[in-house]
Amino acid sequence: MPESNYRPENISRIFLLPNLMTAGNIIFGFLAVLKIFEGSIQRETGGTGWGYTYVTSLQCILAACLFDLLDGRLARMGGRESPFGREFDSLADVVSFGVAPALLVFKIVLYELPSRIGWVIAVFYLLCGAFRLARFNVAATYNLGPGTKNFTGFPVPAAAGLLASITLAIIPQYEQQADLPRAVAIGLA
């Protein structure tokens, strides 16, 4: 088995500051999911303000991006990288940058597609993100490829940040909340 990048004393250690940032990542990802459900319920019951609830979910995804940026930087700067931190970060990334954006795009744009096409597209995005994270973890564990400092492919947080940013930029341009799904679909096309 190839040598690992981690110092032997860091193998089972849990470092507080980087993992607090990862916890912030997963908390904001979970809050985004809750806000997406809240916005969906508001929209389905004819409530007002559901577009603003979706904007809040987008802001939560972008906040999770910030926490994800900080956790890795703090771990590397302090020599606090560990297998636990890498795995915890990937689990947080699946929630914040896989589940939350997939659900958001499904609820805003894809739910109107016929049959089950919308959820298939959302699940495809989620699976691609999960596979990307798993590949990264295997490469980091077994020193395959360029290592943890260089990415192969498009990082999952960047994909989620791109989706969230585009959607966030489009929503305020439409005065009628009923126009929201069509507006987002036009912007993502």
Side-chain angles (χ1 to χ4, degrees), residues 11-33:
I11 292 296
S12 64
R13 306 231 13 220
I14 300 173
F15 298 104
L16 183 63
L17 193 56
N19 287 303
L20 281 176
M21 297 298 112
T22 303
N25 174 353
I26 201 166
I27 288 167
F28 274 103
F30 182 68
L31 288 174
V33 170

Side-chain angles (χ1 to χ4, degrees), residues 14-187:
I14 300 173
F15 298 104
L16 183 63
L17 193 56
N19 287 303
L20 281 176
M21 297 298 112
T22 303
N25 174 353
I26 201 166
I27 288 167
F28 274 103
F30 182 68
L31 288 174
V33 170
L34 291 178
K35 286 297 179 183
I36 294 164
F37 282 126
E38 182 182 330
S40 298
I41 291 168
Q42 287 174 346
R43 184 176 62 192
E44 290 169 9
T45 59
T48 60
W50 56 267
Y52 300 109
T53 306
Y54 284 142
V55 168
T56 303
S57 71
L58 289 163
Q59 291 168 340
C60 287
I61 293 170
L62 294 174
C65 285
L66 179 64
F67 277 96
D68 187 59
L69 175 73
L70 291 174
D71 70 1
R73 302 260 169 150
L74 289 172
R76 284 186 292 278
M77 282 179 13
R80 303 288 192 218
E81 292 179 284
S82 70
F84 175 86
R86 183 185 60 234
E87 299 300 328
F88 185 39
D89 182 65
S90 289
L91 291 171
D93 288 355
V94 167
V95 173
S96 299
F97 311 127
V99 173
L103 184 62
L104 182 69
V105 169
F106 175 76
K107 289 294 189 177
I108 292 178
V109 179
L110 302 175
Y111 75 95
E112 291 184 349
L113 293 178
S115 191
R116 294 186 166 94
I117 295 172
W119 72 260
V120 167
I121 293 169
V123 166
F124 182 74
Y125 169 83
L126 174 60
L127 287 174
C128 286
F131 284 138
R132 168 69 176 82
L133 291 164
R135 185 180 71 175
F136 175 79
N137 286 351
V138 168
T141 299
Y142 296 107
N143 285 330
L144 305 173
T148 60
K149 290 187 170 70
N150 300 312
F151 290 104
T152 302
F154 196 51
V156 178
L162 180 64
L163 277 176
S165 297
I166 290 170
T167 308
L168 189 59
I170 292 170
I171 289 175
Q173 295 178 6
Y174 293 86
E175 295 174 11
Q176 298 285 331
Q177 289 184 358
D179 292 337
L180 184 62
R182 187 173 51 84
V184 174
I186 291 168

